[in-house]
C-alpha cells in the first residue's frame, strides 16, 4: 500500500512489507526510495504560456498608448498656447465681437460632417448584415450535420476553379531557375486574394517559404494582440502596412522587403523565374486570373459571401500558444484539403514552413515518396501519387495526414480557448 508514501510531501526512504492480497501475510521486505512530484496539466501549461505572451503584448500596448498620450498632451498644449496668442491679438485689433463669431462658426453644420455620418451609418449597417450572414453560414450551411462538410469542400473546389487552378502545376524551367539559399518569409493571411496570388506564384515557381499569418483582429480594441502584424509593419515601415509582405534575406547588405502583391509577383518572376517558359495558354490563364475584375469577383462574391467566417483564415480565432519550432506543411495551393489546413493555421496565428509540392515538382515529390510513402494508402503508392496535406510538428514529433485530423490536432495542441 503506497498511498501514504505517495501522498507525503517529503521523499520516503526505507523498507516496505510485501503483502499478499488474499491472506494478507507478509512475504518479505522491500527497500525503496519514493519521491513524488506534482506535474501541472498540459492545458495549464499552455494557458500560462499564452498568458505570458498576452501580458507582454499588453505591456507593449500600454507603453505605446502612454507615448501617444504624452505626445497628444504636448501638441494640445502647443495648440492652446497658439490659440491664446491669436485671441489676444484679435481682441486688441477687433474687440470681443470676433470671439462670438468664431464660436458660432465652430457649431455651424457642414456638408462634410453629414457625409461622414452617412458613411458611418452605411458601414455599421453592412457590418451587422455581414455578422448575420456569418451566423447563417456557420450554423445553417457549414455547421449542418454530415452535409456541411461536403458543402465546405464543394465551396473550396469552386474557389479553386474561380482562380483557374493557378499553382496546380510547376511552370516549365522553374527547376533550373535561380533558387534562394535562405527561405523567403511571407507575412499574409489566408482570406486575402492579394496574398493568394503570391502563394500561387510561389507554388508555380516551386519555391518554399516561411508563412507568418497575420489575420485581422475581431475588433480594433484587441488589434495589438496580433502575433506578427507589428513585425510585418516594422519590415515595410510607415509607407507600407498592407499585406502581403515578402522578406528576402538572400542579400549580403540587408534583407529586401517588398509589399503589395503586384510588386512581389514581378520580383519573384524576375529573380527566381529567370528560366521559366510559359505557353500561350498559361500566359492567358494567369493574365485572366490576375486581372482586376477577376480578383474583385473572387474577393467579394466568393470570399465575402462564402468564406468570411473568422475560423476560415480571416480573423484571429481563439487564444493559442506559439510553437517553439516551426511546423512544416506539405501542400499545393488549389487543393481544397490543403486550403482547410492553411485556414486553420492562419486563424490560430501559427507560423510554418510551406513546402509546395505541386504537380511537376519532381525532386520534392520524389523525396516525399521516399520519406512518407509507407504511411499513406497502398493504392496511392502503386499509382505513384502522394498524399497532401501533411503536417509535421517537430515540437511533438508528430506527422499528421488528412485535413480534418490536422485541424483537430492543431486545436487540441495549440489552442487554449
Amino acid at each position: 500500500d503506497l498511498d501514504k508514501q505517495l501522498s507525503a510531501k517529503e521523499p520516503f526512504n526505507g523498507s516496505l512489507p510485501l503483502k499478499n492480497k488474499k491472506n494478507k501475510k507478509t512475504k518479505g521486505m522491500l527497500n525503496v526510495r519514493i519521491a513524488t512530484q506534482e506535474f501541472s496539466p498540459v492545458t495549464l501549461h499552455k494557458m500560462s504560456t499564452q498568458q505570458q505572451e498576452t501580458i507582454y503584448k499588453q505591456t507593449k500596448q500600454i507603453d505605446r498608448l502612454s507615448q501617444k498620450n504624452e505626445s497628444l498632451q504636448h501638441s494640445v498644449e502647443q495648440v492652446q498656447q497658439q490659440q491664446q496668442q491669436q485671441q489676444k491679438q484679435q481682441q486688441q485689433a477687433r474687440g470681443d465681437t470676433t470671439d462670438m463669431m468664431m464660436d458660432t462658426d465652430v457649431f455651424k453644420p457642414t456638408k462634410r460632417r453629414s457625409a461622414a455620418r452617412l458613411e458611418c451609418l452605411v458601414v455599421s449597417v453592412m457590418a451587422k448584415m455581414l455578422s448575420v450572414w456569418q451566423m447563417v453560414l456557420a450554423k445553417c450551411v457549414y455547421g449542418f450535420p454530415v452535409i456541411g462538410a461536403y458543402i465546405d469542400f464543394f465551396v473550396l473546389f469552386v474557389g479553386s476553379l474561380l482562380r483557374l487552378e493557378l499553382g496546380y502545376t510547376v511552370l516549365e524551367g522553374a527547376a533550373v531557375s535561380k533558387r534562394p539559399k535562405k527561405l523567403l518569409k511571407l507575412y499574409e493571411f489566408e482570406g486575402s486574394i492579394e496574398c493568394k496570388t503570391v502563394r500561387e506564384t510561389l507554388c508555380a515557381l516551386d519555391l518554399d517559404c516561411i508563412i507568418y499569418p497575420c489575420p485581422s483582429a475581431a475588433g480594433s480594441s484587441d488589434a495589438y494582440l496580433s502575433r506578427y502584424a507589428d513585425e510585418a509593419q516594422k519590415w515595410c515601415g510607415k509607407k507600407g502596412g498592407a499585406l502581403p509582405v515578402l522578406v528576402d534575406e538572400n542579400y549580403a547588405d540587408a534583407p529586401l522587403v517588398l509589399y503589395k502583391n503586384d510588386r512581389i509577383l514581378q520580383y519573384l518572376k524576375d529573380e527566381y523565374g529567370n528560366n521559366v517558359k510559359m505557353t500561350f495558354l498559361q500566359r492567358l490563364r494567369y493574365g485572366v486570373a490576375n486581372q482586376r475584375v477577376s480578383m474583385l469577383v473572387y474577393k467579394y462574391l466568393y470570399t465575402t459571401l462564402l468564406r468570411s467566417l473568422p475560423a476560415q483564415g480571416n480573423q484571429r480565432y481563439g487564444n493559442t500558444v506559439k510553437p517553439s519550432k516551426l511546423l512544416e506543411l506539405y501542400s499545393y495551393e488549389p487543393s481544397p484539403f490543403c486550403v482547410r489546413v492553411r485556414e486553420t493555421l492562419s486563424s490560430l496565428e501559427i507560423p510554418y514552413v510551406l513546402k509546395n509540392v505541386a504537380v511537376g515538382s519532381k525532386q520534392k515529390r520524389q523525396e516525399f515518396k521516399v520519406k512518407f510513402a509507407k504511411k499513406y494508402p497502398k493504392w496511392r503508392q502503386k499509382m505513384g501519387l502522394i498524399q497532401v496535406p501533411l503536417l509535421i510538428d517537430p515540437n511533438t514529433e508528430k506527422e499528421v495526414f488528412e485535413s480534418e485530423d490536422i485541424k483537430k490536432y492543431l486545436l487540441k495542441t495549440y489552442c487554449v480557448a
Side-chain angles (χ1 to χ4, degrees):
D1 187 8
L2 301 178
D3 290 339
K4 295 180 180 179
Q5 284 75 24
L6 291 174
S7 61
K9 295 182 179 179
E10 297 180 357
F12 173 81
N13 193 359
S15 58
L16 293 175
L18 299 178
K19 295 181 179 180
N20 192 337
K21 291 184 178 180
K22 293 182 179 179
N23 52 22
K24 298 184 179 179
K25 292 183 179 180
T26 304
K27 293 292 183 179
M29 305 294 289
L30 181 67
N31 294 325
V32 296
R33 185 179 187 279
I34 301 173
T36 60
Q37 181 180 359
E38 265 187 51
F39 291 95
S40 62
V42 178
T43 52
L44 291 177
H45 175 68
K46 289 196 295 184
M47 288 179 66
S48 63
T49 306
Q50 193 274 334
Q51 286 174 357
Q52 290 176 2
E53 185 180 1
T54 303
I55 291 170
Y56 173 71
K57 291 176 181 177
Q58 287 176 345
T59 52
K60 287 180 65 178
Q61 180 69 3
I62 290 170
D63 293 339
R64 290 198 203 98
L65 292 175
S66 60
Q67 290 177 359
K68 288 182 179 179
N69 190 20
E70 290 177 359
S71 62
L72 285 173
Q73 287 180 353
H74 182 66
S75 60
V76 167
E77 290 176 357
Q78 288 181 345
V79 170
Q80 287 178 352
Q81 291 177 0
Q82 291 177 0
Q83 287 180 352
Q84 289 176 0
Q85 291 178 0
Q86 289 178 359
Q87 287 178 359
K88 288 180 181 180
Q89 292 176 359
Q90 289 176 358
Q91 286 177 2
Q92 292 176 0
R94 300 179 183 177
D96 296 335
T97 55
T98 55
D99 294 334
M100 296 174 61
M101 293 175 64
M102 288 174 63
D103 292 336
T104 55
D105 289 337
V106 171
F107 296 100
K108 187 177 179 179
T110 59
K111 293 183 178 179
R112 291 182 180 177
R113 289 180 184 175
S114 60
R117 289 175 183 174
L118 180 62
E119 185 179 355
C120 292
L121 179 63
V122 172
V123 170
S124 62
V125 170
M126 291 182 66
K128 290 180 180 179
M129 291 176 62
L130 182 60
S131 63
V132 172
W133 175 245
Q134 287 178 351
M135 187 170 58
V136 172
L137 282 177
K139 294 184 177 181
C140 302
V141 181
Y142 300 123
F144 200 83
V146 183
I147 303 175
Y150 292 100
I151 295 174
D152 188 20
F153 284 114
F154 176 75
V155 170
L156 291 172
F157 178 70
V158 171
S160 64
L161 290 180
L162 285 175
R163 293 299 301 158
L164 303 179
E165 292 194 330
L166 298 187
Y168 180 77
T169 57
V170 176
L171 296 175
E172 183 183 355
V176 293
S177 297
K178 181 181 176 182
R179 303 285 90 177
K181 294 181 180 179
K182 295 182 180 179
L183 285 174
L184 304 174
K185 295 181 179 180
L186 181 63
Y187 295 83
E188 54 93 56
F189 68 100
E190 187 66 26
S192 168
I193 178 60
E194 289 80 9
C195 300
K196 186 174 181 63
T197 58
V198 177
R199 293 195 307 271
E200 288 170 347
T201 305
L202 288 169
C203 202
L205 296 176
D206 201 21
L207 294 171
D208 299 337
C209 69
I210 302 175
I211 299 290
Y212 293 99
C214 303
S216 61
S220 59
S221 59
D222 60 348
Y224 67 92
L225 292 174
S226 176
R227 186 167 285 159
Y228 298 108
D230 290 342
E231 193 174 329
Q233 182 68 33
K234 289 179 181 178
W235 277 116
C236 60
K238 295 181 179 179
K239 295 180 181 179
L243 299 174
V245 176
L246 182 76
V247 180
D248 190 349
E249 297 179 325
N250 293 281
Y251 292 89
D253 299 334
L256 178 66
V257 181
L258 295 168
Y259 56 92
K260 294 184 179 181
N261 64 321
D262 52 350
R263 298 180 184 176
I264 297 174
L265 296 181
Q266 191 61 44
Y267 170 76
L268 291 174
K269 292 174 184 177
D270 295 341
E271 186 71 14
Y272 299 112
N274 51 322
N275 292 323
V276 167
K277 296 179 180 179
M278 298 176 66
T279 62
F280 173 76
L281 290 177
Q282 287 176 335
R283 292 180 183 274
L284 180 63
R285 189 157 60 101
Y286 275 83
V288 171
N290 291 330
Q291 196 179 17
R292 184 170 180 80
V293 177
S294 301
M295 293 179 66
L296 290 175
V297 168
Y298 186 90
K299 182 176 182 179
Y300 292 106
L301 294 183
Y302 175 76
T303 306
T304 305
L305 293 181
L306 299 176
R307 305 301 293 180
S308 59
L309 297 180
Q312 291 171 345
N314 297 292
Q315 294 180 358
R316 292 177 60 251
Y317 186 71
N319 298 320
T320 60
V321 179
K322 181 181 177 181
S324 57
K325 297 178 183 178
L326 289 173
L327 281 64
E328 294 182 5
L329 178 66
Y330 285 86
S331 161
Y332 65 94
E333 185 60 29
S335 169
F337 305 99
C338 299
V339 173
R340 287 194 71 196
V341 176
R342 292 200 306 268
E343 286 178 347
T344 305
L345 288 166
S346 178
S347 297
L348 299 180
E349 292 184 298
I350 297 177
Y352 60 97
V353 178
L354 178 63
K355 291 185 173 291
N356 290 309
V357 285
V359 176
S361 179
K362 296 180 180 180
Q363 183 178 353
K364 283 190 283 187
R365 284 194 164 226
Q366 187 62 34
E367 292 175 358
F368 188 94
K369 292 174 185 177
V370 172
K371 290 181 180 179
F372 311 110
K374 296 181 179 179
K375 298 180 181 180
Y376 53 83
K378 293 183 178 179
W379 64 269
R380 285 182 175 271
Q381 301 175 28
K382 293 179 181 178
M383 295 181 66
L385 301 175
I386 65 172
Q387 181 174 339
V388 290
L390 167 62
L391 182 76
I392 301 175
D393 190 349
N395 302 285
T396 58
E397 297 182 353
K398 291 285 185 69
E399 297 172 356
V400 189
F401 289 95
E402 300 293 344
S403 59
E404 188 62 28
D405 293 339
I406 294 173
K407 184 177 179 180
K408 290 179 181 179
Y409 169 78
L410 291 172
L411 292 173
K412 182 180 178 181
T413 308
Y414 294 104
C415 192
V416 177

